[in-house]
């Protein structure tokens, strides 16, 4: 899905905001998301290896099965230990902030 940097006539008419790169504005959030994706891909790769090894079930390769299980366990723990991104709305720069809207 391509993101549009500026609102289109359709998005302004419906009142929806287009998804932009500003959704991921925090460099730490970007790094956490990239690390999560990398760890999930590694887990998937080890899971495929494990399934392949279990299909053959050769006794000399039992150490490989154990190694794959350990690698999956470690990467799942690393994934759980990553900080969770905070879901928050990006303030609209064209609207006034509520504190400045009207003096009390």
């Amino acid at each position: 899905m391509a993101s549009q940097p500026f609102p289109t006539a359709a998005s302004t008419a419906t009142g929806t905001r287009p998804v932009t790169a500003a959704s991921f504005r925090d460099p730490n959030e970007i790094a956490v998301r990239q690390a999560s994706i990398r760890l999930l891909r590694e887990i998937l790769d080890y899971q495929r290896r494990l399934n392949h090894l279990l299909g053959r079930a050769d006794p000399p390769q039992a150490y490989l099965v154990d190694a794959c299980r350990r690698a999956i366990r470690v990467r799942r723990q690393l994934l759980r230990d990553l900080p969770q991104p905070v879901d928050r709305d990006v303030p609209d720069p064209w609207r006034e902030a509520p504190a400045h809207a009207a003096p009390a």
Side-chain angles (χ1 to χ4, degrees):
M1 168 190 314
S3 64
Q4 299 171 348
F6 302 107
T8 61
S11 66
T12 355
T14 59
T16 60
R17 285 190 315 203
V19 177
T20 63
S23 312
F24 305 110
R25 66 206 167 281
D26 184 11
N28 292 329
E29 186 176 345
I30 294 169
V32 167
R33 289 178 188 269
Q34 288 174 342
S36 298
I37 291 168
R38 189 185 75 242
L39 286 169
L40 287 170
R41 285 181 179 160
E42 289 178 6
I43 289 171
L44 182 61
D45 185 45
Y46 277 110
Q47 190 65 46
R48 286 179 182 152
R49 289 182 194 176
L50 182 61
N51 290 341
H52 180 70
L53 289 170
L54 290 175
R56 289 195 283 164
D58 293 335
Q61 294 189 353
Y63 72 96
L64 289 175
V65 170
D66 291 337
C68 281
R69 287 182 177 152
R70 262 193 322 273
I72 290 170
R73 197 169 37 248
V74 167
R75 279 155 182 79
R76 283 182 179 165
Q77 185 61 47
L78 287 171
L79 192 60
R80 278 191 295 266
D81 291 343
L82 283 174
Q84 297 300 313
V86 178
D87 289 333
R88 56 189 176 268
D89 278 343
V90 179
D92 189 1
W94 301 109
R95 247 188 282 155
E96 284 186 324
H100 299 106

